[in-house]
Amino acid sequence: MYDLMFKDRLLQGKRILVTGGGTGLGEVMAEAYAQLGATVYICGRRAGVAEETAKRIGDATGSKVVGLGCDIRVAEAVDDMIARIWNDGGALTGLVNNAAGNFISRTKDLTPKGFNAISDIVFRGSFYVTLACGKRWIEEQRKASVISILTTWIWNGGPFTVPSAMSKAGLNIMTKSLATEWGPNGIRLNAIAPGPFPTKGAWERLSPQAASGNRGDSAERIPMGRNGEMVELANLAVFLMADGCEYLTGQTIAIDGAGHLGGTGNFSALSRLDDAQWEAIGAQIRAANQKDKTQRTA
Ligand code: HXC
Ligand code: NAP
């Protein structure tokens, strides 16, 4: 349970699917939604993991939480799951495209199969789920909210995670395109680009040396000097899902302690220098200036 910034029962009556909600960030968001009164569905390829998490969250929050086995890479399986959810108490009101796969690798070492292992989940699978829900919402004239979980690499590139960066960038433009196309239907789409929020799934594949539980070196590169806290992500995911900000659509919001901004500046690493180092640098620059001045004719 999280110390959320919202009032109790804020999401009462909402019915939300979180893909990949059996673990990591998906589990965090699923729990926050259930805590605020929503009925929540979570899915993953490992049905047992999804069911176990659903039971834990349901017991902790008192809300209905259902775990489902579904591989979102398979369009027919996605359609079956969505039909099953619709038949289990009515239409969804919200979807979180959270399921993903990723690993670090030099791009030259990737095989086509390795590329597809990521893009089939993130790029294609997230589209299949969005499409299966969107078709029904439009036909039934229902308002809905979609959130896709991206990464900040959509803005500045993702070296060594190119299949993920390309796929997430695709979902970013899906968010903007469908916000326009489906806006007249009352369907809004937004996205969250998290900085590092240590999870077992991500750290084992992206920061293997830190997977054992320490927070890794990612925090050092962040201007705010730390990784994200789960409750911060949960609050943003609730805000984007709740009624009250329907005019907000087509947006991707970074929650990363300014990580992608600090990381792109050429001199961002200088924030680590101490006073003595700045004095030494200043002296060097002034000496160089002085030397040049002595060579000027005027
Ligand atoms: C190079 C690799 C590889 C690696 C797998 N492959 N790992 N290539 N380097 N480290 C290649 C394999 O060799 C194979 O190609 C192909 O990928 C498929 O491998 P499988 O193991 O059969 O894949 P599959 O069972 O489909 O599993 C998918 C997966 C796996 C993506 C590889 O990691 C997974 O299930 N991940 C789900 C959870 C996850 O990744 N969570 C992290 C999300 S974090 P060949 O040609 O050799 O057969 C995130 C962003 C975090 O997205 C941002 C932090 C700031
Ligand atoms: P995670 O725990 O590994 O979560 C990934 C989830 O996706 C798992 O529950 C997995 O379950 C599910 N999944 C993978 N392939 C699937 C498929 N084909 N069909 C259905 N479900 C599938 O990792 P995480 O860190 O929480 O990542 C969650 C999301 O946040 C991802 O979109 C990731 O890109 C994003 N993100 C994370 C961070 C971070 O710091 N953690 C930062 C930026 C963005 P199964 O294995 O059972 O299928």
Side-chain angles (χ1 to χ4, degrees), residues 45 73 100-105 110-111 113-114 117-118 121 151 153 195-196 201-202 205-206:
R45 292 164 299 177
R73 293 173 297 188
N102 204 351
F103 52 73
I104 44 172
S105 169
L110 287 175
T111 62
K113 214 174 139 198
I118 307 301
I121 306 171
T151 64
W153 307 326
R205 295 170 176 92
L206 300 170

Side-chain angles (χ1 to χ4, degrees), residues 80-139:
D80 285 352
M81 171 179 68
I82 298 301
R84 201 171 147 191
I85 293 173
W86 247 253
N87 289 332
D88 181 52
L92 285 171
T93 59
L95 162 68
V96 182
N97 286 314
N98 166 81
N102 204 351
F103 52 73
I104 44 172
S105 169
R106 290 181 300 187
T107 303
K108 73 180 184 63
D109 296 336
L110 287 175
T111 62
K113 214 174 139 198
F115 179 84
N116 293 342
I118 307 301
S119 61
D120 283 354
I121 306 171
V122 180
F123 183 71
R124 292 179 203 284
S126 303
F127 179 76
Y128 296 156
V129 185
T130 307
L131 179 66
C133 293
K135 275 180 174 175
R136 287 172 169 80
W137 287 325
I138 291 168
E139 196 181 323

Side-chain angles (χ1 to χ4, degrees), residues 20 23-25 45-46 70-72 98-100 150 168 194-195 197 199 201:
T23 64
L25 305 190
R45 292 164 299 177
R46 293 166 295 168
C70 178
D71 185 340
I72 64 164
N98 166 81
L150 309 181
K168 297 280 191 184
F197 285 74
T199 64

Side-chain angles (χ1 to χ4, degrees), residues 201-266:
W203 259 234
E204 277 174 356
R205 295 170 176 92
L206 300 170
S207 186
Q209 71 282 13
S212 52
N214 72 48
R215 53 182 214 163
D217 64 356
S218 58
E220 290 164 21
R221 299 191 306 270
I222 308 291
M224 289 187 103
R226 64 173 175 89
N227 292 326
E229 298 195 358
M230 296 307 180
V231 68
E232 297 173 316
L233 178 80
N235 278 318
L236 178 57
V238 170
F239 169 73
L240 290 175
M241 190 56 80
D243 293 335
C245 62
E246 282 89 342
Y247 211 43
L248 173 51
T249 187
Q251 302 305 305
T252 299
I253 300 174
I255 178 161
D256 73 336
H260 76 288
L261 302 174
T264 52
N266 285 345

